[in-house]
Amino acid sequence: MGNATSSAISKEILEDLKLTTKFTEQEISQWYENFQKQCPSGRISPGEFEEIYARFFPDSDPKSYARHVFRSFDTNDDGTLDFKEYIIALHMTSTGRTTRKLEWAFSLFDVDKNGYITKAEVKEICQALFKLIPKEDLSKLPDDENTPDKRANKLWSCFEKKDNDRLAEGEFVTGVIENENAMRLIHYEPIKH
């Protein structure tokens, strides 16, 4: 670990994050300072991550979604996120439609981490997504996607798979890129008022 008390981020991690994200050196350093304050241990627990997420969604219940997001970024399965995993999480969940984002979305939907998505897993994520949506926005959703089940069905139909089929990562990424609907259905964007 080296000198754990130093609050400066290592050059190596900084360079790496500048390459993998669109964030500037200044932004990354600022986040690192905040991270040090909030997480002196240098690790974020699922509970802490839920609290961070809750700040972004004050009008809804993001707990179950945050837990899925946490799982998808805990790449070494140690039950915590380090600073690098955390920044990549921030980057991936902010806007944009790159292949990397879709690869992340795939790991979000792959609840049991077996390398395939099933329709049941899609339903589970749709249920978590619905808890992110504030009440007043729910009423504005189209009829064919205003419940978690309807949304899951609509999303699944984009991939032209039978209900008991499995979806591999390549098929997922291609299916979403080729389908505006799928792109919109895999995440929740607050309605601009």
Side-chain angles (χ1 to χ4, degrees):
M1 281 300 292
N3 184 0
T5 55
S6 86
S7 61
I9 186 166
S10 84
K11 274 281 166 278
E12 181 190 359
I13 291 181
L14 191 59
E15 288 310 311
D16 196 20
L17 286 171
K18 270 163 55 185
L19 282 177
T20 49
T21 71
K22 295 275 182 289
F23 299 137
T24 64
E25 192 157 333
Q26 228 176 340
E27 286 175 312
I28 296 169
S29 301
Q30 184 58 57
W31 269 315
Y32 191 69
E33 269 178 50
N34 295 343
F35 183 84
Q36 296 281 88
K37 282 194 201 94
Q38 285 173 335
C39 312
S41 68
R43 299 256 157 210
I44 294 186
S45 69
E48 288 167 320
F49 190 74
E50 282 167 27
E51 280 168 33
I52 294 167
Y53 233 81
R55 284 185 224 135
F56 290 105
F57 297 98
D59 305 324
S60 46
D61 172 20
K63 268 200 180 60
S64 53
Y65 188 72
R67 224 165 314 170
H68 284 298
V69 172
F70 187 95
R71 164 187 49 77
S72 67
F73 286 111
D74 177 16
T75 40
N76 59 359
D77 274 328
D78 68 352
T80 63
L81 298 187
D82 60 23
F83 180 69
K84 200 169 143 184
E85 287 170 328
Y86 170 64
I87 289 296
I88 288 172
L90 276 183
H91 171 67
M92 286 294 169
T93 48
S94 57
T95 53
R97 46 172 16 182
T98 58
T99 310
R100 289 273 319 269
K101 283 230 166 52
L102 294 177
E103 287 165 0
W104 164 66
F106 179 85
S107 67
L108 178 72
F109 279 88
D110 182 12
V111 177
D112 65 5
K113 294 190 171 191
N114 72 346
Y116 292 94
I117 297 176
T118 61
K119 191 169 181 187
E121 288 174 320
V122 170
K123 276 191 176 160
E124 189 172 336
I125 300 299
C126 285
Q127 277 159 354
L129 272 174
F130 261 70
K131 292 184 182 159
L132 293 180
I133 307 177
K135 291 278 182 288
E136 69 272 15
D137 286 357
L138 279 174
S139 59
K140 301 187 182 121
L141 291 172
D143 273 351
D144 62 347
E145 55 184 79
N146 60 6
T147 69
D149 277 4
K150 285 183 190 175
R151 188 178 187 126
N153 287 334
K154 189 170 177 179
L155 179 52
W156 193 251
S157 70
C158 296
F159 300 109
E160 295 168 5
K161 290 278 187 187
K162 296 194 204 61
D163 279 2
N164 57 354
D165 281 346
R166 307 190 304 175
L167 190 61
E169 184 175 17
E171 298 173 301
F172 175 82
V173 171
T174 310
V176 175
I177 286 174
E178 289 172 357
N179 195 311
E180 273 299 315
N181 254 336
M183 190 55 118
R184 195 174 44 77
L185 293 167
I186 58 171
H187 58 95
Y188 164 60
E189 289 232 316
I191 296 172
K192 303 280 179 279
H193 295 294

